[in-house]
């Protein structure tokens, strides 16, 4: 399907990961801009993307965000991944992309649910287009949290309806379960990416329904990149941990 807009392509993203030699997406789940800026400076050379939840940042200020986080990430070649999980109709997702956090101005990849219909992808891309930028959408096909309602049938419908859309770079899969990842890879084929949260070398760290799998197993099962938060940011040595996760995911 050829959209009327430019997208960040799967090839662009995969070659940026290849160049950086790491398949680790850092989940920087912090409350302040300075903590995020600090972790980026510390572990930036071992990650390919910086995943944020911008609505969780207490002191959010767009100028500081652009100067202290987005600018340095761009200089390092780290893609900005806003895990916003858009879920509304296309138009509302567009206005959320263009809201006070100005996600469209800095995010390269955003997450979205498929629940409201495929036009959500169009709405998100319209926002990027209005900012003169391009990006791509990762659609939730599975989740790592226990008791989630994204069952096999839903996952199949999501993949079948989105794998032909150029503005979609891939799918979020359940990193805690390698057979879920292999099944997802079977549905997706090789043209789109699979990004997997629910990854930690110490599965005992899981809390509040999170489940964890091993990074090497996730990659072996077909994941393009692993999303790691606590395993790095709560480690006493974040730099050593980031290096270790990057090594575990090396091809
Ligand atoms: N995240 C998940 N599971 C999911 C999806 C997103 O954990 O199914 I979709 C996010 C939440 C958090 C990060 O920002 O990935 C994982 O962090 P930890 O490695 O600290 O569990």
């Amino acid at each position: 399907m050829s959209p009327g807009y430019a997208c960040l392509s799967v090839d662009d993203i995969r070659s940026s990961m290849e160049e950086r030699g790491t398949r680790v997406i850092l989940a920087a789940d912090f409350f302040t801009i300075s903590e995020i800026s600090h972790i980026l400076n510390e572990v930036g050379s071992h990650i390919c993307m910086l995943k944020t939840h911008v609505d969780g940042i207490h002191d959010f200020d767009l100028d500081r965000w652009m100067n202290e986080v987005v600018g340095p990430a761009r200089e390092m070649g780290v893609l900005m991944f806003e895990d916003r999980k858009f879920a509304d109709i296309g138009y509302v997702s567009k206005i959320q992309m263009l809201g006070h956090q100005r996600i469209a101005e800095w995010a390269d990849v955003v997450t979205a649910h498929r629940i409201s219909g495929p036009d959500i992808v169009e709405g998100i891309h319209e926002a990027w287009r209005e900012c003169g930028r391009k990006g791509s959408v990762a659609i939730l096909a599975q989740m790592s949290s226990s008791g989630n309602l994204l069952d096999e049938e839903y996952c199949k419908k999501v993949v079948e309806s989105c794998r032909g859309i150029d503005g979609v770079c891939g799918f979020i899969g359940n990193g805690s379960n390698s057979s879920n990842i292999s099944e997802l890879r079977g549905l997706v084929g090789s043209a789109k990416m699979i990004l997997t949260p629910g990854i930690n070398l110490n599965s005992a760290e899981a809390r509040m329904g999170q489940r964890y799998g091993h990074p090497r197993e996730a990659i072996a099962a077909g994941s393009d990149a692993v999303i790691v938060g606590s395993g790095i940011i709560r480690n006493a040595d974040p730099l050593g941990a980031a290096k270790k996760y990057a090594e575990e995911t090396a091809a």
Side-chain angles (χ1 to χ4, degrees), residues 27 29 51 53 83 85 140 142-145 172-173 197-200 210 212 227-231 234:
D29 291 335
K51 188 178 87 63
H53 286 290
D83 190 7
K85 300 183 180 72
L140 274 73
Q142 297 171 342
M143 290 190 76
S144 64
S145 44
I172 302 294
I199 298 291
N200 197 308
Q210 178 67 298
Y212 285 131
I227 296 172
V228 184
S230 310
R234 288 186 216 290

PDB file of all heavy atoms in Angstrom, residues 27 29 51 53 83 85 140 142-145 172-173 197-200 210 212 227-231 234, ligand 1:
ATOM      1  N   ALA A  27      14.284   1.512  27.749  1.00  0.00           N
ATOM      2  CA  ALA A  27      13.048   2.080  28.302  1.00  0.00           C
ATOM      3  C   ALA A  27      13.450   2.996  29.450  1.00  0.00           C
ATOM      4  O   ALA A  27      13.725   2.537  30.565  1.00  0.00           O
ATOM      5  CB  ALA A  27      12.122   0.966  28.783  1.00  0.00           C
ATOM      6  N   ASP A  29      12.344   4.862  31.860  1.00  0.00           N
ATOM      7  CA  ASP A  29      11.149   5.170  32.660  1.00  0.00           C
ATOM      8  C   ASP A  29      11.510   5.984  33.903  1.00  0.00           C
ATOM      9  O   ASP A  29      11.500   5.474  35.026  1.00  0.00           O
ATOM     10  CB  ASP A  29      10.426   3.867  33.033  1.00  0.00           C
ATOM     11  CG  ASP A  29       9.801   3.212  31.813  1.00  0.00           C
ATOM     12  OD1 ASP A  29       9.502   3.928  30.844  1.00  0.00           O
ATOM     13  OD2 ASP A  29       9.618   1.975  31.817  1.00  0.00           O
ATOM     14  N   LYS A  51      13.449   4.832  24.431  1.00  0.00           N
ATOM     15  CA  LYS A  51      11.985   4.744  24.550  1.00  0.00           C
ATOM     16  C   LYS A  51      11.532   5.566  25.757  1.00  0.00           C
ATOM     17  O   LYS A  51      12.072   5.414  26.848  1.00  0.00           O
ATOM     18  CB  LYS A  51      11.553   3.290  24.706  1.00  0.00           C
ATOM     19  CG  LYS A  51      10.038   3.117  24.646  1.00  0.00           C
ATOM     20  CD  LYS A  51       9.625   1.672  24.759  1.00  0.00           C
ATOM     21  CE  LYS A  51       9.452   1.197  26.171  1.00  0.00           C
ATOM     22  NZ  LYS A  51       8.392   1.855  26.946  1.00  0.00           N
ATOM     23  N   HIS A  53       8.138   7.639  27.973  1.00  0.00           N
ATOM     24  CA  HIS A  53       6.715   7.862  28.252  1.00  0.00           C
ATOM     25  C   HIS A  53       6.651   9.322  28.642  1.00  0.00           C
ATOM     26  O   HIS A  53       6.766   9.670  29.820  1.00  0.00           O
ATOM     27  CB  HIS A  53       6.237   6.973  29.408  1.00  0.00           C
ATOM     28  CG  HIS A  53       6.086   5.540  29.027  1.00  0.00           C
ATOM     29  ND1 HIS A  53       5.086   5.110  28.183  1.00  0.00           N
ATOM     30  CD2 HIS A  53       6.802   4.446  29.343  1.00  0.00           C
ATOM     31  CE1 HIS A  53       5.194   3.801  28.013  1.00  0.00           C
ATOM     32  NE2 HIS A  53       6.233   3.367  28.694  1.00  0.00           N
ATOM     33  N   ASP A  83       6.578   5.705  23.499  1.00  0.00           N
ATOM     34  CA  ASP A  83       5.682   4.552  23.704  1.00  0.00           C
ATOM     35  C   ASP A  83       4.306   5.054  24.167  1.00  0.00           C
ATOM     36  O   ASP A  83       3.840   4.722  25.239  1.00  0.00           O
ATOM     37  CB  ASP A  83       6.324   3.629  24.754  1.00  0.00           C
ATOM     38  CG  ASP A  83       5.625   2.293  24.873  1.00  0.00           C
ATOM     39  OD1 ASP A  83       4.727   2.008  24.068  1.00  0.00           O
ATOM     40  OD2 ASP A  83       5.994   1.534  25.795  1.00  0.00           O
ATOM     41  N   LYS A  85       1.335   4.521  22.924  1.00  0.00           N
ATOM     42  CA  LYS A  85       0.208   3.582  22.769  1.00  0.00           C
ATOM     43  C   LYS A  85      -1.073   4.313  22.404  1.00  0.00           C
ATOM     44  O   LYS A  85      -2.106   4.210  23.083  1.00  0.00           O
ATOM     45  CB  LYS A  85       0.007   2.738  24.032  1.00  0.00           C
ATOM     46  CG  LYS A  85       1.232   1.888  24.379  1.00  0.00           C
ATOM     47  CD  LYS A  85       1.000   1.005  25.582  1.00  0.00           C
ATOM     48  CE  LYS A  85       2.203   0.164  25.934  1.00  0.00           C
ATOM     49  NZ  LYS A  85       3.330   0.933  26.527  1.00  0.00           N
ATOM     50  N   LEU A 140       0.873  -2.632  18.519  1.00  0.00           N
ATOM     51  CA  LEU A 140       0.862  -3.666  19.556  1.00  0.00           C
ATOM     52  C   LEU A 140       0.121  -4.914  19.061  1.00  0.00           C
ATOM     53  O   LEU A 140      -1.088  -4.867  18.826  1.00  0.00           O
ATOM     54  CB  LEU A 140       0.169  -3.154  20.827  1.00  0.00           C
ATOM     55  CG  LEU A 140       1.044  -2.391  21.806  1.00  0.00           C
ATOM     56  CD1 LEU A 140       1.381  -1.004  21.258  1.00  0.00           C
ATOM     57  CD2 LEU A 140       0.353  -2.269  23.153  1.00  0.00           C
ATOM     58  N   GLN A 142       1.063  -8.029  20.670  1.00  0.00           N
ATOM     59  CA  GLN A 142       1.074  -8.817  21.914  1.00  0.00           C
ATOM     60  C   GLN A 142       1.538  -7.874  23.021  1.00  0.00           C
ATOM     61  O   GLN A 142       2.093  -6.812  22.739  1.00  0.00           O
ATOM     62  CB  GLN A 142       2.084  -9.980  21.823  1.00  0.00           C
ATOM     63  CG  GLN A 142       1.780 -11.009  20.771  1.00  0.00           C
ATOM     64  CD  GLN A 142       2.933 -12.006  20.574  1.00  0.00           C
ATOM     65  OE1 GLN A 142       4.072 -11.758  20.962  1.00  0.00           O
ATOM     66  NE2 GLN A 142       2.611 -13.141  19.946  1.00  0.00           N
ATOM     67  N   MET A 143       1.330  -8.276  24.270  1.00  0.00           N
ATOM     68  CA  MET A 143       1.907  -7.513  25.395  1.00  0.00           C
ATOM     69  C   MET A 143       2.610  -8.471  26.350  1.00  0.00           C
ATOM     70  O   MET A 143       2.328  -9.672  26.359  1.00  0.00           O
ATOM     71  CB  MET A 143       0.830  -6.706  26.125  1.00  0.00           C
ATOM     72  CG  MET A 143       0.303  -5.544  25.295  1.00  0.00           C
ATOM     73  SD  MET A 143      -0.752  -4.405  26.223  1.00  0.00           S
ATOM     74  CE  MET A 143       0.450  -3.492  27.184  1.00  0.00           C
ATOM     75  N   SER A 144       3.501  -7.915  27.161  1.00  0.00           N
ATOM     76  CA  SER A 144       4.258  -8.761  28.090  1.00  0.00           C
ATOM     77  C   SER A 144       3.548  -8.912  29.438  1.00  0.00           C
ATOM     78  O   SER A 144       3.908  -9.783  30.225  1.00  0.00           O
ATOM     79  CB  SER A 144       5.649  -8.161  28.325  1.00  0.00           C
ATOM     80  OG  SER A 144       5.550  -6.904  28.962  1.00  0.00           O
ATOM     81  N   SER A 145       2.574  -8.081  29.711  1.00  0.00           N
ATOM     82  CA  SER A 145       1.919  -8.093  31.027  1.00  0.00           C
ATOM     83  C   SER A 145       0.947  -9.266  31.146  1.00  0.00           C
ATOM     84  O   SER A 145       0.243  -9.597  30.182  1.00  0.00           O
ATOM     85  CB  SER A 145       1.179  -6.773  31.235  1.00  0.00           C
ATOM     86  OG  SER A 145       0.483  -6.418  30.052  1.00  0.00           O
ATOM     87  N   ILE A 172       4.825  -4.809  18.218  1.00  0.00           N
ATOM     88  CA  ILE A 172       5.330  -5.095  19.552  1.00  0.00           C
ATOM     89  C   ILE A 172       4.897  -6.516  19.896  1.00  0.00           C
ATOM     90  O   ILE A 172       3.713  -6.864  19.766  1.00  0.00           O
ATOM     91  CB  ILE A 172       4.730  -4.112  20.599  1.00  0.00           C
ATOM     92  CG1 ILE A 172       5.034  -2.655  20.235  1.00  0.00           C
ATOM     93  CG2 ILE A 172       5.241  -4.469  21.996  1.00  0.00           C
ATOM     94  CD1 ILE A 172       6.491  -2.248  20.276  1.00  0.00           C
ATOM     95  N   GLY A 173       5.863  -7.338  20.297  1.00  0.00           N
ATOM     96  CA  GLY A 173       5.582  -8.724  20.672  1.00  0.00           C
ATOM     97  C   GLY A 173       5.924  -8.957  22.137  1.00  0.00           C
ATOM     98  O   GLY A 173       6.550  -8.103  22.773  1.00  0.00           O
ATOM     99  N   PRO A 197       9.296  -5.951  24.473  1.00  0.00           N
ATOM    100  CA  PRO A 197       9.472  -5.631  25.888  1.00  0.00           C
ATOM    101  C   PRO A 197       9.272  -6.903  26.709  1.00  0.00           C
ATOM    102  O   PRO A 197       8.899  -7.952  26.167  1.00  0.00           O
ATOM    103  CB  PRO A 197       8.357  -4.626  26.166  1.00  0.00           C
ATOM    104  CG  PRO A 197       7.273  -5.004  25.205  1.00  0.00           C
ATOM    105  CD  PRO A 197       7.945  -5.612  23.992  1.00  0.00           C
ATOM    106  N   GLY A 198       9.515  -6.795  28.035  1.00  0.00           N
ATOM    107  CA  GLY A 198       9.387  -7.980  28.875  1.00  0.00           C
ATOM    108  C   GLY A 198      10.708  -8.745  28.847  1.00  0.00           C
ATOM    109  O   GLY A 198      10.732  -9.971  28.755  1.00  0.00           O
ATOM    110  N   ILE A 199      11.817  -7.989  28.905  1.00  0.00           N
ATOM    111  CA  ILE A 199      13.156  -8.589  28.805  1.00  0.00           C
ATOM    112  C   ILE A 199      13.981  -8.184  30.021  1.00  0.00           C
ATOM    113  O   ILE A 199      14.103  -7.004  30.337  1.00  0.00           O
ATOM    114  CB  ILE A 199      13.872  -8.087  27.520  1.00  0.00           C
ATOM    115  CG1 ILE A 199      13.109  -8.502  26.249  1.00  0.00           C
ATOM    116  CG2 ILE A 199      15.329  -8.555  27.490  1.00  0.00           C
ATOM    117  CD1 ILE A 199      13.123  -9.989  25.938  1.00  0.00           C
ATOM    118  N   ASN A 200      14.547  -9.188  30.665  1.00  0.00           N
ATOM    119  CA  ASN A 200      15.428  -8.922  31.806  1.00  0.00           C
ATOM    120  C   ASN A 200      16.253 -10.173  32.054  1.00  0.00           C
ATOM    121  O   ASN A 200      15.721 -11.287  31.965  1.00  0.00           O
ATOM    122  CB  ASN A 200      14.570  -8.588  33.050  1.00  0.00           C
ATOM    123  CG  ASN A 200      15.370  -7.905  34.148  1.00  0.00           C
ATOM    124  OD1 ASN A 200      16.415  -8.392  34.547  1.00  0.00           O
ATOM    125  ND2 ASN A 200      14.860  -6.780  34.621  1.00  0.00           N
ATOM    126  N   GLN A 210       4.266  -7.653  35.297  1.00  0.00           N
ATOM    127  CA  GLN A 210       5.247  -7.757  34.202  1.00  0.00           C
ATOM    128  C   GLN A 210       5.791  -9.187  34.181  1.00  0.00           C
ATOM    129  O   GLN A 210       5.865  -9.854  35.225  1.00  0.00           O
ATOM    130  CB  GLN A 210       6.382  -6.738  34.428  1.00  0.00           C
ATOM    131  CG  GLN A 210       7.489  -6.760  33.403  1.00  0.00           C
ATOM    132  CD  GLN A 210       7.051  -6.312  32.007  1.00  0.00           C
ATOM    133  OE1 GLN A 210       6.187  -6.950  31.409  1.00  0.00           O
ATOM    134  NE2 GLN A 210       7.639  -5.255  31.504  1.00  0.00           N
ATOM    135  N   TYR A 212       9.119 -11.565  32.379  1.00  0.00           N
ATOM    136  CA  TYR A 212      10.399 -11.358  31.715  1.00  0.00           C
ATOM    137  C   TYR A 212      10.930 -12.612  31.031  1.00  0.00           C
ATOM    138  O   TYR A 212      10.807 -13.721  31.539  1.00  0.00           O
ATOM    139  CB  TYR A 212      11.458 -10.908  32.727  1.00  0.00           C
ATOM    140  CG  TYR A 212      11.336  -9.466  33.175  1.00  0.00           C
ATOM    141  CD1 TYR A 212      11.362  -9.130  34.521  1.00  0.00           C
ATOM    142  CD2 TYR A 212      11.221  -8.429  32.240  1.00  0.00           C
ATOM    143  CE1 TYR A 212      11.284  -7.809  34.942  1.00  0.00           C
ATOM    144  CE2 TYR A 212      11.124  -7.099  32.650  1.00  0.00           C
ATOM    145  CZ  TYR A 212      11.159  -6.796  33.994  1.00  0.00           C
ATOM    146  OH  TYR A 212      11.075  -5.489  34.405  1.00  0.00           O
ATOM    147  N   ILE A 227      13.406  -4.474  24.229  1.00  0.00           N
ATOM    148  CA  ILE A 227      13.140  -3.253  24.994  1.00  0.00           C
ATOM    149  C   ILE A 227      13.476  -3.548  26.451  1.00  0.00           C
ATOM    150  O   ILE A 227      12.876  -4.446  27.057  1.00  0.00           O
ATOM    151  CB  ILE A 227      11.659  -2.851  24.840  1.00  0.00           C
ATOM    152  CG1 ILE A 227      11.357  -2.488  23.378  1.00  0.00           C
ATOM    153  CG2 ILE A 227      11.316  -1.691  25.789  1.00  0.00           C
ATOM    154  CD1 ILE A 227       9.887  -2.250  23.064  1.00  0.00           C
ATOM    155  N   VAL A 228      14.445  -2.830  26.989  1.00  0.00           N
ATOM    156  CA  VAL A 228      14.894  -3.112  28.360  1.00  0.00           C
ATOM    157  C   VAL A 228      14.833  -1.844  29.197  1.00  0.00           C
ATOM    158  O   VAL A 228      15.417  -0.821  28.822  1.00  0.00           O
ATOM    159  CB  VAL A 228      16.356  -3.634  28.380  1.00  0.00           C
ATOM    160  CG1 VAL A 228      16.773  -4.015  29.803  1.00  0.00           C
ATOM    161  CG2 VAL A 228      16.534  -4.812  27.433  1.00  0.00           C
ATOM    162  N   GLY A 229      14.126  -1.919  30.315  1.00  0.00           N
ATOM    163  CA  GLY A 229      14.069  -0.800  31.256  1.00  0.00           C
ATOM    164  C   GLY A 229      14.835  -1.145  32.509  1.00  0.00           C
ATOM    165  O   GLY A 229      16.048  -0.929  32.613  1.00  0.00           O
ATOM    166  N   SER A 230      14.112  -1.752  33.486  1.00  0.00           N
ATOM    167  CA  SER A 230      14.686  -2.046  34.802  1.00  0.00           C
ATOM    168  C   SER A 230      16.045  -2.737  34.738  1.00  0.00           C
ATOM    169  O   SER A 230      16.925  -2.429  35.549  1.00  0.00           O
ATOM    170  CB  SER A 230      13.731  -2.945  35.585  1.00  0.00           C
ATOM    171  OG  SER A 230      12.452  -2.402  35.563  1.00  0.00           O
ATOM    172  N   GLY A 231      16.211  -3.666  33.820  1.00  0.00           N
ATOM    173  CA  GLY A 231      17.461  -4.432  33.726  1.00  0.00           C
ATOM    174  C   GLY A 231      18.663  -3.514  33.572  1.00  0.00           C
ATOM    175  O   GLY A 231      19.785  -3.870  33.944  1.00  0.00           O
ATOM    176  N   ARG A 234      17.735   0.218  36.593  1.00  0.00           N
ATOM    177  CA  ARG A 234      17.764  -0.065  38.037  1.00  0.00           C
ATOM    178  C   ARG A 234      18.997  -0.862  38.447  1.00  0.00           C
ATOM    179  O   ARG A 234      19.136  -1.263  39.593  1.00  0.00           O
ATOM    180  CB  ARG A 234      16.496  -0.820  38.458  1.00  0.00           C
ATOM    181  CG  ARG A 234      15.286   0.060  38.434  1.00  0.00           C
ATOM    182  CD  ARG A 234      14.044  -0.626  38.994  1.00  0.00           C
ATOM    183  NE  ARG A 234      12.878  -0.204  38.249  1.00  0.00           N
ATOM    184  CZ  ARG A 234      12.364   1.023  38.307  1.00  0.00           C
ATOM    185  NH1 ARG A 234      12.892   1.928  39.093  1.00  0.00           N
ATOM    186  NH2 ARG A 234      11.327   1.351  37.560  1.00  0.00           N
TER     187      ARG A 234
HETATM  188  N1  LIG B   1       6.055  -2.240  27.801  1.00  0.00           N
HETATM  189  C1  LIG B   1       6.015  -3.457  28.440  1.00  0.00           C
HETATM  190  N2  LIG B   1       5.214  -4.438  27.956  1.00  0.00           N
HETATM  191  C2  LIG B   1       4.423  -4.264  26.870  1.00  0.00           C
HETATM  192  C3  LIG B   1       4.492  -3.008  26.227  1.00  0.00           C
HETATM  193  C4  LIG B   1       5.307  -2.021  26.706  1.00  0.00           C
HETATM  194  O1  LIG B   1       6.703  -3.681  29.434  1.00  0.00           O
HETATM  195  O2  LIG B   1       3.719  -5.192  26.476  1.00  0.00           O
HETATM  196  I1  LIG B   1       3.379  -2.704  24.589  1.00  0.00           I
HETATM  197  C5  LIG B   1       6.917  -1.128  28.255  1.00  0.00           C
HETATM  198  C6  LIG B   1       6.701  -0.668  29.670  1.00  0.00           C
HETATM  199  C7  LIG B   1       8.052  -0.206  30.095  1.00  0.00           C
HETATM  200  C8  LIG B   1       9.020  -1.097  29.325  1.00  0.00           C
HETATM  201  O3  LIG B   1       8.252   1.129  29.623  1.00  0.00           O
HETATM  202  O4  LIG B   1       8.293  -1.537  28.177  1.00  0.00           O
HETATM  203  C9  LIG B   1       9.521  -2.311  30.093  1.00  0.00           C
HETATM  204  O5  LIG B   1      10.221  -1.902  31.239  1.00  0.00           O
HETATM  205  P1  LIG B   1      10.944  -2.951  32.218  1.00  0.00           P
HETATM  206  O6  LIG B   1      12.082  -3.594  31.410  1.00  0.00           O
HETATM  207  O7  LIG B   1      11.424  -2.096  33.336  1.00  0.00           O
HETATM  208  O8  LIG B   1       9.923  -3.958  32.658  1.00  0.00           O
END
